[in-house]
């Protein structure tokens, strides 16, 4: 009898479980409404021809079209370029900027504010301003380079320079990441540097053996958020393409994202074009699932690499 009584769950345990469920209910409701339901609806619509008015079963037609759509290959290649180049450049520049600021003896607050201010500029305003500043004919940036005998390129009009120009834009507005790195660097225990200096470690050795391991979680956070942001890169590329091409919203005018020569066409832009310009919502849902899968794969790879490096350390 005693063993049977001990095996039965006490009432207080059931009460604790119900109370925990009640406290978790807002989170469960939010996840269900804003994540689970949209994801399931996206999967459902991906098997249909849907133009916002009629819904027709299509089977795997949208997925087959994905495999032979040349714009998908182009936009995926551009998005992968942003992940492989823009994210590391932005992260390394932010870390270097943070290192520079924390080593200053005076004016730390002033410089921190100056470097953070560009991240507060609205995306549209910052991108438009950047395109005009780098205009090959009237922009001050090329005029400044001309003072040194350097002929500046057509930054947003040349396919070879369009993505590097967006990378410069991301570097200009990296103040938020830099501030996070500053906080992480200031949190590194000073006695670790003193012990490394006593052992004869130079500046590079201290950075590699003390600084990097101490700020590894922050580096991981920056990499994961940067990759997710690059996979979803939309506004800056769309606005830069539109402004550089001179397109307007006047009646009868048309604009295809990706100017120049589809070099700035990203997957989110092609999703927007397919869903809200061509009214192929079923196919747009397939592209959304591709973006979701790409974000998950990149994030899992980064987490796996981070855990492996921690285990090796």
């Amino acid at each position: 009898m005693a063993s049977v009584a001990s095996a039965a769950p006490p009432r207080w345990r059931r009460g604790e479980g119900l109370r925990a469920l009640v406290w978790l209910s807002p989170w469960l409701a939010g996840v269900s409404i804003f994540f689970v339901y949209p994801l399931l609806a996206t999967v459902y619509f991906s098997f249909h021809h849907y133009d916002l008015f009629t819904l027709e079963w299509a089977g795997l037609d949208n997925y087959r079209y994905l495999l032979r759509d040349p714009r998908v290959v182009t936009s995926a290649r551009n998005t992968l370029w942003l992940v492989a180049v823009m994210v590391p450049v932005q992260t390394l520049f932010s870390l270097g900027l943070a290192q520079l600021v924390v080593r200053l003896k005076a004016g730390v607050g002033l410089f921190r504010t100056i470097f953070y201010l560009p991240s507060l500029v609205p995306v549209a305003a910052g991108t438009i301003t950047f395109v005009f500043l780098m205009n090959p004919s009237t922009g001050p940036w090329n005029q400044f380079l001309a003072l040194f005998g350097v002929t500046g390129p057509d930054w947003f009009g040349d396919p070879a320079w369009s993505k590097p120009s967006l990378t410069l834009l991301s570097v200009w507005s990296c103040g938020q990441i830099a501030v996070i790195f500053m906080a992480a660097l200031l949190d590194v225990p000073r006695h670790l540097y003193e012990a490394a200096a006593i052992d004869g470690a130079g500046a590079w050795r201290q950075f590699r053996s003390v600084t990097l391991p101490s700020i590894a979680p922050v580096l991981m956070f920056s990499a994961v958020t940067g990759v997710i942001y690059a996979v979803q890169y939309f506004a800056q590329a769309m606005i830069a393409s539109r402004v550089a091409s001179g397109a307007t919203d006047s009646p009868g005018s048309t604009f295809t994202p990706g100017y120049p020569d589809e070099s700035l066409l990203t997957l989110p832009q092609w999703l927007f074009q397919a869903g809200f310009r061509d009214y192929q919502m079923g196919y747009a849902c397939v592209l959304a699932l591709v973006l979701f899968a790409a974000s998950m794969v990149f994030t899992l790879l980064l987490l796996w690499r981070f855990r492996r490096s921690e285990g090796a350390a």
Side-chain angles (χ1 to χ4, degrees):
M1 294 294 294
S3 61
V4 174
S6 61
R11 290 185 178 180
W12 68 270
R13 289 186 179 178
R14 289 197 296 268
E16 287 291 323
L18 289 175
R19 278 193 291 270
L21 187 61
V22 169
W23 285 109
L24 286 173
S25 58
W27 179 85
L28 293 173
V31 170
S32 301
I33 295 173
F34 297 107
F35 178 75
V36 177
Y37 170 72
L39 179 60
L40 295 178
T42 302
V43 174
Y44 173 76
F45 287 123
S46 69
F47 293 101
H48 293 78
H49 291 306
Y50 182 42
D51 61 358
L52 297 179
F53 298 100
T54 59
L55 186 66
E56 180 183 352
W57 175 258
L60 296 176
D61 289 352
N62 290 324
Y63 291 89
R64 295 191 187 99
Y65 182 67
L66 175 74
L67 299 177
R68 62 176 186 270
D69 185 0
R71 294 285 183 86
V72 170
V73 177
T74 302
S75 58
R77 184 170 61 246
N78 292 333
T79 302
L80 185 61
W81 191 97
L82 296 175
V83 172
V85 178
M86 187 179 72
V87 175
V89 169
Q90 186 182 40
T91 302
L92 292 176
F93 184 83
S94 301
L95 179 58
L97 188 64
Q99 284 271 53
L100 177 65
V101 172
V102 297
R103 290 178 180 273
L104 294 176
K105 299 299 183 182
V108 175
L110 175 63
F111 284 104
R112 185 166 54 215
T113 303
I114 292 174
F115 293 139
Y116 183 74
L117 282 177
S119 64
L120 299 178
V121 177
V123 171
T127 305
I128 293 173
T129 303
F130 215 76
V131 173
F132 278 109
L133 288 175
M134 303 180 76
N135 186 288
S137 301
T138 60
W141 180 241
N142 277 8
Q143 295 177 8
F144 174 75
L145 294 178
L147 297 177
F148 302 93
V150 178
T151 302
D154 187 359
W155 295 96
F156 287 98
D158 187 348
W161 284 95
S162 56
K163 287 190 287 292
S165 300
L166 283 182
T167 303
L168 291 176
L169 174 60
S170 70
V171 167
W172 173 72
S173 59
C174 69
Q176 189 172 7
I177 303 175
V179 168
I180 295 175
F181 277 128
M182 291 177 203
L185 291 172
L186 292 173
D187 199 42
V188 179
R190 305 307 305 173
H191 68 270
L192 296 179
Y193 291 112
E194 296 171 358
I198 293 175
D199 290 338
W204 169 247
R205 182 66 180 180
Q206 291 181 26
F207 176 77
R208 190 177 64 178
S209 301
V210 177
T211 305
L212 286 182
S214 301
I215 66 171
V218 179
L219 278 172
M220 186 64 201
F221 169 80
S222 175
V224 170
T225 55
V227 166
I228 294 175
Y229 177 75
V231 171
Q232 300 174 354
Y233 203 74
F234 175 82
Q236 291 90 333
M238 175 70 81
I239 295 171
S241 295
R242 195 175 189 91
V243 175
S245 66
T248 63
D249 290 324
S250 59
S253 64
T254 59
F255 170 72
T256 301
Y259 177 88
D261 295 339
E262 299 183 349
S263 61
L264 293 184
L265 181 64
T266 60
L267 275 173
Q269 289 184 79
W270 188 232
L271 185 158
F272 174 83
Q273 180 73 21
F276 299 98
R277 295 291 176 86
D278 300 335
Y279 298 106
Q280 300 176 1
M281 294 301 297
Y283 183 56
C285 288
V286 175
L287 295 175
L289 292 175
V290 170
L291 284 174
F292 175 74
S295 300
M296 290 294 295
V297 169
F298 282 125
T299 301
L300 291 175
L301 285 175
L302 287 172
L303 291 175
W304 171 78
R305 186 70 184 89
F306 176 69
R307 291 176 181 175
R308 186 178 179 183
S309 62
E310 274 194 332

